[in-house]
Amino acid sequence: MSTLNLAVVQTSPVFGDIPGNLRRALDLVPVGCDLAVLPELFATGYQFRDTAEAMSMAEEAAPGGAGGPIVQALVARAAATGATLVAGLAEKAGAAVYNSAVLVRPDGSREIYRKVHLFDREKEVFRPGDLGFPVFDACGAKVGLMICFDWIFPEAARSLALAGAQVLCHPSNLLLPWCPEAMVTRCQENRVFAATANRIGSEDRTGQRLDFIGMSEIVSPLGDILRRMGREEEGAAMAAIDLEAIEKQVTPRNHIFNDRRPDQYRI
Ligand code: ACM
């Protein structure tokens, strides 16, 4: 299958209301989608006060782990809809808690990515990711996972693209205004599709008010914005994408990867 119905779900979670957030978010997964991306920490909310609070809502989400209510709800929804789901959650792994994204296939199998680049106070709450930037086979595509602030490091999208990703799934809780435009560049410089799923609303649990910017989007390998949501709407957007439209040849003499000159770079 080279055509895929790719969706982003944009939510407005209430901090700590896991059952309500799960119900509202999963109800928004569009009928007929093959791959849907939900926001970072979509079922818990974002602004944990400390590691202990994050741990209290974390789950053993990695393959082979026990899971919990969030993983179970994603597994049930993936089975019911036939869609692969990618969503952010707090992941418990022994004594550590990671800001992670889980990929759940309709057959119940799952994969994990742990956020590499932690943003601001996240550094006081989560352990930084230690699994690199993974690419998984799902719904007939090579699916790469990154989370929110990873966008500002071109190495994240580049690592995924070099590992063969065709679609970047990007659960987010965006605060800075530049990401939606930056992801256009990430797609152009790697010739990949990207689906950034963000949240809306605000949180102020630590004396630092956070306003989330919405603008979830689906972007093509040429940087066309196929769908972009508003700053305040809850809902979902879907686009039919053709994986065969991915062309790494920029001109007859220029290939986006083969023309790289790593010997000239300082990385
Ligand atoms: C962010 O990485 N959630 C801003």
Side-chain angles (χ1 to χ4, degrees):
M1 180 173 63
S2 79
T3 304
L4 203 69
N5 286 322
L6 175 62
V8 287
V9 175
Q10 182 162 294
T11 58
S12 183
V14 175
F15 188 89
D17 178 15
I18 293 176
N21 294 333
L22 276 175
R23 192 181 57 253
R24 285 190 302 279
L26 295 178
D27 280 353
L28 291 173
V29 173
V31 174
C33 72
D34 301 300
L35 175 60
V37 186
L38 292 96
E40 179 182 12
L41 297 167
F42 82 104
T44 54
Y46 178 74
Q47 205 178 26
F48 293 104
R49 292 204 171 101
D50 52 31
T51 301
E53 189 177 56
M55 187 59 100
S56 74
M57 298 187 211
E59 301 187 7
E60 291 175 348
I70 300 172
V71 168
Q72 282 160 17
L74 288 166
V75 167
R77 193 68 184 161
T81 58
T84 295
L85 303 178
V86 174
L89 79 182
E91 183 208 348
K92 177 180 175 182
V97 58
Y98 296 96
N99 182 347
S100 296
V102 65
L103 177 151
V104 178
R105 301 184 187 85
D107 67 4
S109 61
R110 63 183 195 258
E111 313 285 357
I112 202 91
Y113 162 66
R114 295 172 175 161
K115 187 175 185 178
V116 167
H117 302 105
L118 298 176
F119 180 74
D120 199 22
R121 276 198 73 260
E122 289 175 31
K123 292 189 174 189
E124 290 167 30
V125 174
F126 297 105
R127 192 172 289 188
D130 55 359
L131 300 176
F133 290 94
V135 176
F136 303 110
D137 288 305
C139 52
K142 299 275 183 200
V143 177
L145 305 190
M146 52 188 272
I147 298 178
C148 203
F149 193 52
D150 285 330
W151 70 266
I152 209 166
F153 301 91
E155 294 89 346
R158 179 68 98 200
S159 298
L160 291 169
L162 288 174
Q166 297 168 302
V167 184
L168 308 187
C169 292
H170 185 208
S172 295
N173 274 190
L174 293 170
L175 295 158
L176 304 177
W178 309 292
C179 175
E181 289 309 313
M183 287 307 289
V184 171
T185 306
R186 295 289 100 79
C187 289
Q188 290 167 329
E189 65 199 3
N190 292 293
R191 294 282 178 103
V192 291
F193 290 94
T196 297
N198 193 24
R199 60 163 290 180
I200 60 167
S202 58
E203 288 184 11
D204 185 356
R205 306 190 64 256
T206 63
Q208 182 191 16
R209 183 188 160 104
L210 303 178
D211 295 305
F212 301 95
I213 67 166
M215 300 178 76
S216 299
E217 64 183 10
I218 300 171
V219 182
S220 83
L222 295 181
D224 298 316
I225 299 166
L226 303 177
R227 297 284 183 278
R228 182 178 278 174
M229 300 186 67
R231 291 173 178 275
E232 288 175 7
E233 62 178 316
E234 266 185 284
M238 183 160 74
I241 63 166
D242 182 1
L243 299 177
E244 284 176 12
I246 295 176
E247 173 57 82
K248 305 291 188 189
Q249 206 73 40
V250 179
T251 75
R253 293 182 181 79
N254 295 106
H255 186 280
I256 202 94
F257 290 159
N258 298 348
D259 277 17
R260 295 172 65 246
R261 302 280 312 280
D263 58 317
Q264 299 295 311
Y265 305 152
R266 189 190 297 263
I267 50 173

